[in-house]
Amino acid sequence: MQSINQKIQITFPKDIELYIKREDLLHPIISGNKFRKLKYNIHNATSLGYSTLLTFGGAFSNHILAVAGAGAEFGFKTIGVIRGEEIGNKIHENPTLSKAKEFGMQFYFVDRTSYRIKEDPVFIENLHKKFGNFYLIPEGGTNELAIKGCEEIITADDKDFFTHITCAIGTGGTFSGLINSSINKQQLIGFSSLKGAFLSEVIRNFVSKTNWNVNDEYHFGGYGKVTDELIFFLNSFYNQTNIQLDPVYTGKMVFGVLDMIKKDYFQPNSKILMIHTGGLQGIKGMNFVLKNKNKEILKYDEIFINK
């Protein structure tokens, strides 16, 4: 499978053209930016002779499922350090963890206080004592090798054609890769899925270019949070385009781009490329939460997780 640039068939003012790069089509399990982030980490783990991958994530983490799927595909044992001890006896209720378990991932559930110090050397050493030798991949997958992989999202044709490139931001790795591979005349906008204006400082650690900014106006309450307005938008967008968007990352970014077009942010004849970073497995988890709150759910559903 491969990603494609799909034009959004909506009429926009000022001859603006809008496209979406379908990174969600890269792989049925390790889709989108997770495929890009893991590519060189898997190569590195293999070359160094590791047989086990260990990483961190929450109950509905795209990254956790991607690492589990990569382990199954490339012959690694996988360990997921999961935030929240109370989840341990509810795996059967969680579509993300259930699928990761099918792929052979072993879980280690820790309380939220312990999870906050997961990068502490003492915490890591205790993990080694418990599980032995492993290749450590950080939460969300962002490291130098991940950014190298994400630099490959943008092609030479993309650099020649698009004036703007937009992307959702979680840990900042994907956006950093896009910045590094962009050309100076392009403007890049990252849409934070987290509450709080701190991601710019994180991204500056990985980039030297200045043709970018972080927009933190469309987080809809913060990471993993949604509103009725966002859910209505995602259902409407799917009905209009037949494109599924996840509600945690890409959906918020697309909402933001379309709202900024309405607010006259972009210059005439702008050609905008939105990066679809995958994450569709999270739809089931979000619908599980929404149903429990008697809220409107996403009317489309991701398919592979039932396979």
Side-chain angles (χ1 to χ4, degrees):
M1 303 178 75
Q2 62 181 0
S3 61
I4 59 172
N5 290 346
Q6 181 175 343
K7 188 171 185 180
I8 305 299
Q9 298 298 330
I10 300 173
T11 301
F12 297 103
K14 303 188 299 185
D15 294 320
I16 290 174
E17 295 182 35
L18 184 63
Y19 296 74
I20 186 165
K21 183 178 282 286
R22 299 291 306 277
E23 289 282 285
D24 57 308
L25 301 178
L26 281 175
H27 190 281
I29 303 296
I30 323 165
S31 72
N33 62 340
K34 302 308 178 189
F35 181 93
R36 303 290 188 177
K37 288 182 175 183
L38 288 172
K39 176 181 176 180
Y40 290 109
N41 275 289
I42 293 293
H43 288 174
N44 194 41
T46 300
S47 66
L48 294 174
Y50 285 93
S51 60
T52 301
L53 309 175
L54 182 143
T55 195
F56 309 89
F60 297 102
S61 167
N62 296 325
H63 174 67
I64 285 292
L65 184 57
V67 171
E73 180 153 334
F74 297 105
F76 289 91
K77 296 178 182 178
T78 55
I79 301 167
V81 180
I82 309 299
R83 181 180 63 247
E85 284 183 311
E86 72 282 0
I87 304 167
N89 59 359
K90 299 179 180 179
I91 294 175
H92 63 284
E93 298 178 3
N94 185 300
T96 302
L97 297 183
S98 295
K99 194 66 179 180
K101 184 178 180 180
E102 283 184 33
F103 288 134
M105 177 171 273
Q106 178 182 354
F107 300 123
Y108 178 45
F109 296 93
V110 299
D111 62 80
R112 284 164 169 74
T113 300
S114 299
Y115 192 84
R116 293 190 192 100
I117 60 168
K118 62 185 178 296
E119 296 177 0
D120 185 273
V122 175
F123 186 86
I124 299 298
E125 179 58 29
N126 286 333
L127 289 176
H128 278 292
K129 290 178 181 178
K130 185 176 182 64
F131 296 110
N133 199 25
F134 55 75
Y135 183 90
L136 191 148
I137 301 174
E139 181 180 33
T142 291
N143 56 20
E144 293 291 346
L145 291 174
I147 292 170
K148 178 183 177 181
C150 290
E151 289 173 0
E152 297 176 353
I153 294 173
I154 301 302
T155 67
D157 289 341
D158 295 334
K159 296 176 186 180
D160 290 338
F161 186 76
F162 293 106
T163 60
H164 297 79
I165 299 171
T166 70
C167 179
I169 308 178
T171 57
T174 303
F175 191 54
S176 296
L178 296 173
I179 294 167
N180 289 341
S181 62
S182 69
I183 57 175
N184 290 332
K185 69 178 182 179
Q186 292 178 312
Q187 291 298 309
L188 285 85
I189 307 171
F191 289 81
S192 176
S193 61
L194 290 74
K195 197 172 184 178
F198 59 89
L199 280 169
S200 293
E201 291 303 316
V202 175
I203 292 163
R204 288 191 187 100
N205 292 324
F206 298 110
V207 306
S208 59
K209 296 179 181 179
T210 59
N211 59 336
W212 59 276
N213 67 281
V214 174
N215 183 304
D216 57 7
E217 298 178 6
Y218 298 97
H219 55 69
F220 290 88
Y223 178 76
K225 305 292 185 182
V226 298
T227 64
D228 294 342
E229 179 185 24
L230 179 63
I231 297 301
F232 178 81
F233 165 77
L234 296 177
N235 284 327
S236 299
F237 186 82
Y238 176 73
N239 289 335
Q240 192 168 3
T241 66
N242 204 36
I243 299 174
Q244 297 178 339
L245 302 175
D246 85 281
V248 178
Y249 295 104
T250 302
K252 295 179 178 181
M253 179 268 293
V254 174
F255 182 103
V257 171
L258 291 174
D259 192 52
M260 290 170 69
I261 291 175
K262 292 178 186 176
K263 293 177 177 177
D264 212 29
Y265 175 89
F266 296 98
Q267 295 295 317
N269 301 304
S270 291
K271 294 178 175 58
I272 308 163
L273 179 64
M274 306 183 294
I275 309 299
H276 192 320
T277 53
L280 297 180
Q281 69 86 22
I283 294 169
K284 282 188 177 293
M286 182 59 70
N287 277 347
F288 179 81
V289 173
L290 292 171
K291 285 177 183 177
N292 286 340
K293 294 181 178 180
N294 294 316
K295 294 282 191 177
E296 180 184 1
I297 67 170
L298 294 163
K299 298 301 195 304
Y300 51 89
D301 214 336
E302 204 278 328
I303 296 172
F304 78 78
I305 204 162
N306 282 329
K307 290 183 180 178

